[in-house]
Amino acid sequence: MSIASGRAGELLKAAVNHADYVLERAADRTGKTPLFVNALDADNGEPACHDYDHVDRTAMLSSPASQQNWLRTLAALSALTGQSAYREAAEDVFRYMLKEQTDRNGLIYWGGHTSYDLEERRVAFASDKARVHELKCHYPDYNLMWNADRSGTKRYIEAVWNAHIIDWSNLDFNRHGPYDAPPGALWANGYEDGDVFFWGGGLTFVNAGSDLYYGAAMLAKLTGEDAPLEWAMRLAERYAQTRRSGVGISGYQFSQSASAWCDGPAIRGDRAQYQLAPLIPEGRPVYESTLFKPRPAVQRCQLAIGEALGDRGRPFLDWSCGEMAAWGRTAYRGEDNSFVPMLTDGWSLEGLTLDRNGYFGRKGTVFKAIPAGPEFFWMYAMGYRLSGDPFLWTMVRNIAAGLGFGDIGEPDGGRRGAKLPGPATGDHRILFGMLELHKATGRDCFLSMANQTANQLLGARYRKGRFVTGGKVLINDPAPLALLHLVSAETNAGDGLPSVFQT
């Protein structure tokens, strides 16, 4: 079948229409940069204010760190159509950022609290934050970046680690990294490991830590160097070291901070100790590092590292699958398809009511179960494909039933009445999850369900040749990229399309 015909042709046309519309209307109209505005007005196609990164809701921003779905869509279009102009537009963005929008060390001005103001022609920083670099589950497409500028990519990733790591001996780091930080020894630093839960100078959130170890791991893949991968593994292992024996759930961070905001400027320290510890029986360690805060994107990041690096990246695959299994065995509840909020030793926080204001909510806030939504379905499906772990299949099966898909059966079994819930609006995460199951099993029913999801997605949000959300055409909309992955599955074309992270 030609890629331009039949079902695949229809899907490809929808993605091309959307991309061509964005390329024409969202590009910097002065022609002075290759950047794209974050959003367009869905009615008139004019640039619209949209802030992905808590910078300035009133400004006409371009936030390349938060446009990675868009840049991956362009690369995927070139892979499927053979038209290089799409990929070149994406690479131009990276090339510009690496050449024109960095500090003296090569650290890009982008990410959380930092964007580019297309009207004012300047870097824009959040007024209530320091001027710092921050990535939290942004996961840039380093393959595209590398194709655009190899030396700039290497310099950037090294600058990220140089700016964010506070103490290389124990990998204490902060999610905020200062620009123009003095250059250090980088990978030549000594490492002592040591206990986790230490009092450090930063907040070692895994949503930022995963961006750090993802960057270093990809640098190792792209350059063939071993040192960045060694440090990436050390950082990832710090989270695994917070796991309690017999439970296996990692903490959201691995250190404590004495300077963290608890409740107003006068009360600082470990925020969980301040707000939660008084409500929990003595003898159970209550730190921010012992709270179960599942983030499926982090696990998919580790899976992607394991897949990209093969044997070199095997520990990331093992850490991720072990984590997911622990969530399923200890926290998952099938009756309502949810995860119980808890400490990482298994102590349930469900129903706990806060008796004081703080970081985790106002007084009277009640801890509730965490729904096992489409993002968890996608995560477990990817985990099963890469590991073949029967328990991860059980989790996929349970969550699918909980989402209303019916019984998807065993990997080699029949369809067993699997169906999509109705009415439904379509969800790209379900589409990606179904594609993972199709890759893992070869069963056509999952490809059929991916197509059903695509139909729902198109019916709900595709208007006049573009995807619309809340009156806007959002540049980072993942829907076109999801369609392109379905096209690839339908036609066996475009092998190795860009990985998907931002949702």
Side-chain angles (χ1 to χ4, degrees):
M1 179 181 70
S2 168
I3 197 167
S5 66
R7 172 61 172 169
E10 295 173 359
L11 297 172
L12 181 61
K13 183 178 179 180
V16 167
N17 288 344
H18 176 92
D20 287 349
Y21 182 85
V22 172
L23 282 168
E24 177 186 357
R25 295 178 176 269
D28 183 354
R29 297 190 174 184
T30 68
K32 294 181 179 180
T33 78
L35 302 181
F36 298 90
V37 69
N38 286 343
L40 298 169
D41 184 283
D43 293 325
N44 59 30
E46 291 298 308
C49 295
H50 190 82
D51 186 1
Y52 283 116
D53 292 302
H54 182 74
V55 177
D56 184 349
R57 292 182 180 180
T58 67
M60 200 65 67
L61 299 177
S62 175
S63 306
S66 294
Q67 294 179 0
Q68 295 300 307
N69 285 333
W70 166 237
L71 301 179
R72 288 181 167 100
T73 297
L74 292 173
L77 279 169
S78 285
L80 290 169
T81 67
Q83 298 180 31
S84 62
Y86 291 115
R87 185 187 66 253
E88 289 167 1
E91 291 178 359
D92 283 345
V93 171
F94 283 119
R95 193 173 294 113
Y96 173 79
M97 296 303 291
L98 290 168
K99 294 287 187 184
E100 306 294 338
Q101 295 294 323
T102 73
D103 72 357
R104 65 189 181 194
N105 300 319
L107 189 62
I108 299 175
Y109 294 115
W110 71 354
H113 318 312
T114 308
S115 295
Y116 187 80
D117 189 322
L118 288 168
E119 290 183 327
E120 298 295 326
R121 324 301 308 170
R122 63 177 177 82
V123 178
F125 297 95
S127 60
D128 61 340
K129 302 289 183 180
R131 297 188 172 194
V132 291
H133 177 273
E134 179 189 72
L135 292 185
K136 291 194 295 190
C137 293
H138 285 80
Y139 310 130
D141 191 322
Y142 289 112
N143 288 306
L144 267 176
M145 189 187 290
W146 182 258
N147 289 336
D149 184 344
R150 293 189 176 191
S151 62
T153 301
K154 185 175 188 293
R155 191 165 175 254
Y156 168 70
I157 295 172
E158 291 176 346
V160 170
W161 277 68
N162 183 70
H164 286 267
I165 303 299
I166 298 171
D167 186 342
W168 288 78
S169 70
N170 61 8
L171 281 175
D172 183 22
F173 75 88
N174 200 357
R175 71 206 186 283
H176 292 157
Y179 286 105
D180 295 314
L186 205 64
W187 316 126
N189 277 287
Y191 181 60
E192 299 175 5
D193 197 2
D195 294 334
V196 290
F197 310 130
F198 59 85
W199 288 97
L203 285 167
T204 53
F205 296 152
V206 73
N207 58 358
S210 58
D211 248 309
L212 280 166
Y213 60 64
Y214 178 68
M218 291 305 297
L219 180 61
K221 175 183 181 293
L222 293 166
T223 64
E225 298 174 3
D226 291 328
L229 181 58
E230 183 177 14
W231 283 98
M233 289 183 177
R234 287 168 174 170
L235 181 55
E237 189 175 27
R238 295 260 74 184
Y239 298 98
Q241 289 170 344
T242 67
R243 298 176 182 177
R244 295 291 295 271
S245 177
V247 180
I249 296 176
S250 301
Y252 193 69
Q253 60 194 66
F254 56 80
S255 65
Q256 295 177 266
S257 174
S259 61
W261 179 95
C262 288
D263 185 18
I267 305 176
R268 294 180 179 272
D270 188 292
R271 298 176 291 199
Q273 280 188 341
Y274 169 75
Q275 202 173 10
L276 303 181
L279 305 175
I280 295 172
E282 292 186 8
R284 294 186 177 275
V286 184
Y287 319 130
E288 285 195 66
S289 309
T290 60
L291 294 184
F292 170 51
K293 295 173 66 176
R295 294 294 184 271
V298 171
Q299 305 312 314
R300 288 189 291 107
C301 169
Q302 289 194 331
L303 293 173
I305 294 172
E307 184 172 25
L309 273 71
D311 289 343
R312 294 176 75 200
R314 181 71 196 197
F316 288 96
L317 178 63
D318 292 341
W319 282 319
S320 182
C321 292
E323 184 78 28
M324 288 188 281
W327 294 359
R329 290 191 170 98
T330 303
Y332 182 71
R333 187 169 58 204
E335 304 91 273
D336 60 353
N337 190 41
S338 68
F339 294 93
V340 177
M342 60 178 56
L343 299 177
T344 54
D345 64 1
W347 179 266
S348 174
L349 300 176
E350 191 171 19
L352 182 144
T353 303
L354 298 178
D355 65 355
R356 63 181 71 178
N357 297 333
Y359 178 74
F360 298 100
R362 305 289 298 175
K363 181 179 179 179
T365 297
V366 179
F367 277 75
K368 297 180 180 179
I370 303 161
E375 65 276 21
F376 289 95
F377 172 75
W378 179 12
M379 176 194 74
Y380 277 108
M382 185 178 181
Y384 174 76
R385 174 175 67 84
L386 292 173
S387 70
D389 184 338
F391 182 73
L392 298 190
W393 179 270
T394 297
M395 287 300 300
V396 176
R397 189 173 181 178
N398 290 339
I399 293 174
L403 292 173
F405 302 159
D407 185 1
I408 64 172
E410 297 295 338
D412 59 353
R415 185 167 177 171
R416 295 200 177 190
K419 58 182 175 55
L420 285 174
T425 58
D427 191 309
H428 67 278
R429 297 167 296 183
I430 298 300
L431 198 162
F432 279 120
M434 291 299 175
L435 290 179
E436 291 288 352
L437 296 183
H438 178 252
K439 291 177 189 176
T441 68
R443 289 170 57 190
D444 289 340
C445 66
F446 296 122
L447 193 59
S448 175
M449 292 184 77
N451 271 291
Q452 291 179 54
T453 308
N455 287 339
Q456 293 174 335
L457 192 58
L458 288 164
R461 297 209 293 111
Y462 192 65
R463 301 287 183 271
K464 298 179 180 178
R466 57 265 194 190
F467 285 93
V468 176
T469 303
K472 293 179 180 179
V473 175
L474 299 180
I475 304 308
N476 206 46
D477 195 322
L481 185 54
L483 296 188
L484 293 176
H485 276 260
L486 178 53
V487 170
S488 179
E490 288 275 14
T491 61
N492 294 315
D495 184 47
L497 292 191
S499 297
V500 184
F501 291 102
Q502 296 176 324
T503 59

